[in-house]
Every structure is written in C-alpha cells, then in structure tokens.
Amino acid sequence: MTGDGHHHNAPPNPFLENRRNAAETRVLEERTRKLEELLVSKKLVATDALDRLVDLYENDIGPTNGAAVVARAWIDPDYRQRLLEDATAAIRELGFGGMQGEHMVVVENSPEIHNVVVCTLCSCYPWPLLGLPPDWYKDPAYRSRVAIEPRRVLKEFGLELAESTEVRVWDSSAEIRYLVLPERPEGTERYSEAGLAALVSRDAMIGVALVEPPHK
Amino acid sequence: MDRQPDQQIANMHGTAALPRRNGELVFHDDWERRVFALAVTLCEQGHFRWDEFRKELIASIAARDNSLENTDLSNSGYYVHWLAALEKTLANIGMIPLD
C-alpha cells in the first residue's frame, strides 16, 4: 500500500485508486442530478431528508460486539484461555468477523497490570468489535502522549491507577489490533452473560476506563 | 436522533459491502452520497425491497468484473454500480422510464 506499509484496512471493495477524471465525474454528477430532480419533482424525496440520511449512516457507531466477547471470557474459563491464545479464532467463534486479515490480540487486565491501546501512527482500531473510533482516539495528542505518559493520560480520563500497577501500552497497526479484556467487577457473580456484556463499555476495551461495579 | 441505520444495508457482505476505511464509510464525490441517500430513502419508503436493489448492485459489479475489453472500468469505483443499480431498480418498478 503506502510507502511506510501502514494502512488502516486493505480495501474490501473496488475503491477508487485514483481520482476519476473530470469528464467522467461530470457525466456521473449529471446522471445523478437528473435522477434526483425527477424524484424530487414527483415529490418522492426531499433534498434535506437525503442529507440527514447520509449523516445517519456516516455517523453510525456500528456494533459493539467486543462486549459480548468480554462477557463470554468472564463466564467461560476455557473460552478466556482460547481468547488469550488466539483472539482472531476465538472472536470468530462468536460469529464476529469483518476484519480484513488483521490479527486480533486480546490483552488481559489484572490487579498488577493495566493495558491501554493506541495507534500512534494513525487510528487503527478493531471496528468490527468496537464500532467507529471515538474522536479522541484519533487525536494526535492522545496518540503521542499515551505512549509517553500513560498514567497521566489515564488520569485525565478519570482513571487513577495504584502506583504498584504496571501500565502496558499496546500500539495497534495495520496487521495487529488489540482489545483489552477488563477485570470483571465485584458484585456481578449472579449476572447473566447478557447482563455482564451490558456493563462493558467501549472505553474499558480500549483501556481508558474500568468496568464499574453495578452498585456504586 | 433516534433513527437507526438499517443493518441489512450497513452490513452488506461480499462484493456489495459498503467501502469503509477503519469502519467509516468512504465517499469520493458528493454525487456518491446523493446516490446512496436516494437508494436508501426510496427503499425505506417501501418502493422496493432492499434485496431487489442489492441483486441489481451485485449484477452490475459482476458485469464489470466479467468485462475484458475495457480495463478503465476496473477502476470505476463502487458507487457507479449503485447508480446503475438504482436506475435499473427504478425502471423495473416503472418509477422512471427505461432508456
């Protein structure tokens, strides 16, 4: 792909590699305009409604399948083991795919170790599991600072870790995407798998938050 | 806004899958957005079922793949097929005249 070998996703589709030439674009614009005008004149569509619709799809945060993966790992020790050994396969077991050849690696939090994920070069992100990345994930400040001063950045997220906790920062790339397996909070022993999944936030799976106990 | 995207549109598989970059939809030109919006809106209004449109979309993409003589077409981009499929679908139901 690009010279540095770093790209978000191998395009699954006939993307345009190059811009269309201006004449081609004009023809397509004209075809589209004619079609839209015809439909508007028949009062079948309204122009402002079309704008709102595109906005809806462009800002769709998508699935948060990662929470189901975390919940399964909490209730099923064998699954947890498979997830930590080969996350790509274990995640596929639950029917979640859509990655284009990237490997998933799941890193587990414990009282001794806290994991946090970043993509220092751009914003590589396991979107089939977590939906669209939040704006701060793509922010150059987060990307550069979390690797250098993770404790301070986490504190800004409201997450204060014990001095004795080791912080590990994982740098995602085109080839490897990381997901944090958070600690199961206390007081959830009787929770169902679906009930547990509902507690798991996107931020906890990036590692900038903990999964909070249900009663605080 | 409490409206949700239709998952059978947002999560199409195979050759028909929406081009995304790191999860976000990719449009190159504004007319591509218009075509997307027209097709989805008319389907939501019940003028055709999504699988009727998708069938035309897949057929258009497949016809491109099978055409040997014109290599330029290989880089025509995904939404050219949306435009062709929408025109075909609307002609099929008599909403626009057949060319």
Side-chain angles (χ1 to χ4, degrees):
Chain A
M1 277 289 152
T2 48
D4 61 2
H6 196 87
H7 57 95
H8 293 288
N9 286 329
N13 275 295
F15 277 100
L16 274 181
E17 295 288 338
N18 306 300
R19 301 291 307 171
R20 291 184 194 90
N21 67 46
E24 253 184 313
T25 299
R26 264 197 307 279
V27 170
L28 292 163
E29 273 170 358
E30 187 59 20
R31 251 170 90 186
T32 307
R33 194 184 56 77
K34 267 178 61 185
L35 188 59
E36 182 175 340
E37 276 178 5
L38 180 65
L39 296 167
V40 169
S41 74
K42 291 185 172 189
K43 304 228 185 310
L44 288 164
V45 293
T47 300
D48 57 337
L50 295 178
D51 294 332
R52 283 199 304 275
L53 182 117
V54 176
D55 199 50
L56 177 72
Y57 279 80
E58 285 190 307
N59 295 307
D60 171 24
I61 68 149
T64 49
N65 299 326
V69 173
V70 169
R72 176 66 59 88
W74 282 346
I75 62 161
D76 181 344
D78 292 337
Y79 183 77
R80 176 181 152 277
Q81 198 58 37
R82 292 200 296 282
L83 185 65
L84 295 173
E85 281 167 7
D86 181 353
T88 312
I91 288 164
R92 207 178 298 127
E93 272 180 52
L94 297 193
F96 305 136
M99 310 291 288
Q100 285 99 37
E102 305 93 3
H103 279 285
M104 285 300 305
V105 171
V106 169
V107 288
E108 185 180 33
N109 284 351
S110 69
E112 295 79 36
I113 297 166
H114 182 85
N115 298 284
V116 60
V117 179
V118 65
C119 173
T120 54
L121 278 170
C122 45
S123 56
C124 290
Y125 190 75
W127 60 269
L129 290 171
L130 297 186
L132 295 186
D135 286 340
W136 54 259
Y137 187 85
K138 300 185 276 186
D139 191 88
Y142 174 79
R143 285 158 36 201
S144 58
R145 288 184 55 226
V146 77
I148 300 164
E149 43 179 11
R151 272 174 200 282
R152 201 152 149 193
V153 172
L154 292 177
K155 200 171 166 185
E156 289 165 20
F157 275 95
L159 174 54
E160 211 155 342
L161 296 168
E163 275 303 311
S164 57
T165 304
E166 179 192 341
V167 181
R168 293 186 183 167
V169 180
W170 301 88
D171 195 354
S172 297
S173 69
E175 290 78 29
I176 300 182
R177 308 287 163 102
Y178 297 96
L179 186 82
V180 175
L181 175 57
E183 285 184 273
R184 180 172 177 168
E186 284 174 23
T188 59
E189 291 74 16
R190 293 162 170 273
Y191 272 57
S192 68
E193 189 171 348
L196 288 169
L199 298 175
V200 181
S201 71
R202 174 194 67 194
D203 287 5
M205 293 181 278
I206 302 175
V208 298
L210 303 178
V211 178
E212 301 291 345
H215 308 295
K216 274 201 86 177
Chain B
M1 183 152 43
D2 56 2
R3 282 185 61 201
Q4 294 295 318
D6 184 335
Q7 290 305 308
Q8 67 168 336
I9 298 171
N11 292 325
M12 284 193 291
H13 292 293
T15 57
L18 298 174
R20 290 174 184 271
R21 191 174 290 135
N22 216 27
E24 296 179 51
L25 292 183
V26 177
F27 296 104
H28 293 89
D29 294 306
D30 199 47
W31 69 263
E32 299 182 337
R33 285 191 176 77
R34 311 304 291 169
V35 168
F36 178 86
L38 286 170
V40 175
T41 301
L42 291 167
C43 175
E44 279 184 352
Q45 291 172 353
H47 296 292
F48 50 83
R49 293 193 320 277
W50 191 251
D51 57 353
E52 295 175 79
F53 173 80
R54 200 190 48 192
K55 195 183 74 190
E56 297 296 346
L57 177 62
I58 291 169
S60 177
I61 293 169
R64 185 284 315 263
D65 287 343
N66 293 333
S67 76
L68 297 170
E69 72 283 2
N70 193 345
T71 50
D72 287 349
L73 284 175
S74 67
N75 202 27
S76 58
Y78 171 81
Y79 283 101
V80 165
H81 301 293
W82 270 64
L83 179 54
L86 180 59
E87 288 171 339
K88 185 83 195 308
T89 306
L90 297 182
N92 287 346
I93 60 174
M95 194 179 275
I96 61 170
L98 274 166
D99 290 322

